[in-house]
Amino acid sequence: MVLKRSFYERPTLEVARKLLGKILKHKSPQGITSGKIVEAEAYIGPDDPACHASKGRTPRNEVMFGQPGHAYVYFNYGMYYLLNVVTEREGFPAAVLIRAIEPTEGIELMSTRRRCFELTQLANGPGKLCVAMGIDKSLNGADLCGSALIIEDGQEYSDASILWAPRIGIKHGRDKLWRCYVADGKFTTSGGRPARRS
DNA sequence: AGAATGATCCTCT
DNA sequence: GAGGATCATTCTC
């Protein structure tokens, strides 16, 4: 069941929290890939210094100002695309960065695209998951309520199984605990690492 | 185990 | 012309 637009038209932190456990699915010409969202970050409005929209409206962040439930995909560091989900009412710039998924469908295709066969390493990062799922800027602005890229209903997590922490990779706004992830997940950016030797 | 670095390019000043 | 919501590899302790 594809999530309705009303799911996204809510406070961003609530959307980030509720996205955990949902299924992100991309139907590409090469095949279908999908995975369960296990880590996400909120970027909220003009007053959030880490949010692209804090520097005003530009052609690049235009999508964030639009209707909720659309994909905001942008290119960064000359290497990777990052996938966001636009939230809140039209006109208010906010989005949720999808940081990690647990692969569920099209694992062979993801392995080929990533040139990596370690399941936990396939999509445990915002840049990695875009490579694994074949997401690029042609999907910028795609409607997640009905296009090649959609988000479907999935698992519900209890509050006890979810952790909040500072966002990663930003210079400003680290005081906010706006990153949420599944506590026991092996597929989050901090999980699945080699265990510490004693 | 933690810090530093190179790859690489689009966007805005 | 600088810098960025990253990743993999190489360094240094």
Side-chain angles (χ1 to χ4, degrees):
Chain A
M1 183 69 184
V2 178
L3 298 181
K4 292 181 296 186
R5 194 166 316 281
S6 57
F7 177 91
Y8 304 99
E9 199 163 7
R10 296 188 286 175
T12 307
L13 289 173
E14 193 178 328
V15 177
R17 163 69 177 83
K18 294 288 184 185
L19 274 175
L20 297 183
K22 299 295 188 290
I23 305 299
L24 175 69
K25 179 180 284 189
H26 182 211
K27 291 169 276 188
S28 80
Q30 299 163 288
I32 293 176
T33 49
S34 65
K36 186 170 69 179
I37 298 168
V38 293
E39 183 170 344
E41 279 178 6
Y43 288 87
I44 311 175
D47 296 328
D48 175 4
C51 182
H52 288 166
S54 66
K55 303 221 168 101
R57 188 169 183 154
T58 67
R60 180 216 211 178
N61 61 31
E62 178 75 24
V63 180
M64 262 204 292
F65 287 81
Q67 199 180 31
H70 287 255
Y72 169 42
V73 181
Y74 81 97
F75 192 62
N76 198 22
Y77 291 111
M79 290 286 289
Y80 297 98
Y81 291 100
L82 276 70
L83 172 65
N84 299 251
V85 173
V86 177
T87 62
E88 313 246 3
R89 67 178 191 279
E90 191 166 351
F92 184 86
V96 172
L97 169 69
I98 308 299
R99 284 192 61 84
I101 62 163
E102 175 182 335
T104 55
E105 193 178 0
I107 290 170
E108 262 190 44
L109 179 53
M110 292 195 205
S111 298
T112 304
R113 283 174 175 151
R114 285 266 299 123
R115 280 173 231 127
C116 162
F117 293 91
E118 187 63 40
L119 188 61
T120 59
Q121 302 287 316
L122 273 187
N124 64 332
K128 294 179 185 180
L129 88 86
C130 286
V131 173
M133 300 192 73
I135 293 168
D136 63 23
K137 73 177 178 191
S138 70
L139 288 168
N140 189 33
D143 187 357
L144 297 169
C145 300
S147 69
L149 188 65
I150 57 173
I151 298 181
E152 295 178 337
D153 217 346
Q155 175 181 351
E156 290 287 335
Y157 285 107
S158 69
D159 286 337
S161 57
I162 290 192
L163 295 176
W164 290 88
R167 290 171 292 178
I168 288 178
I170 54 173
K171 284 217 172 98
H172 307 291
R174 290 191 221 184
D175 52 322
K176 305 283 197 305
L177 298 183
W178 286 356
R179 175 167 63 103
C180 62
Y181 59 102
V182 179
D184 61 351
K186 297 185 180 68
F187 297 90
T188 52
T189 52
S190 53
R193 300 256 180 87
R196 182 163 52 106
R197 284 188 306 181
S198 55

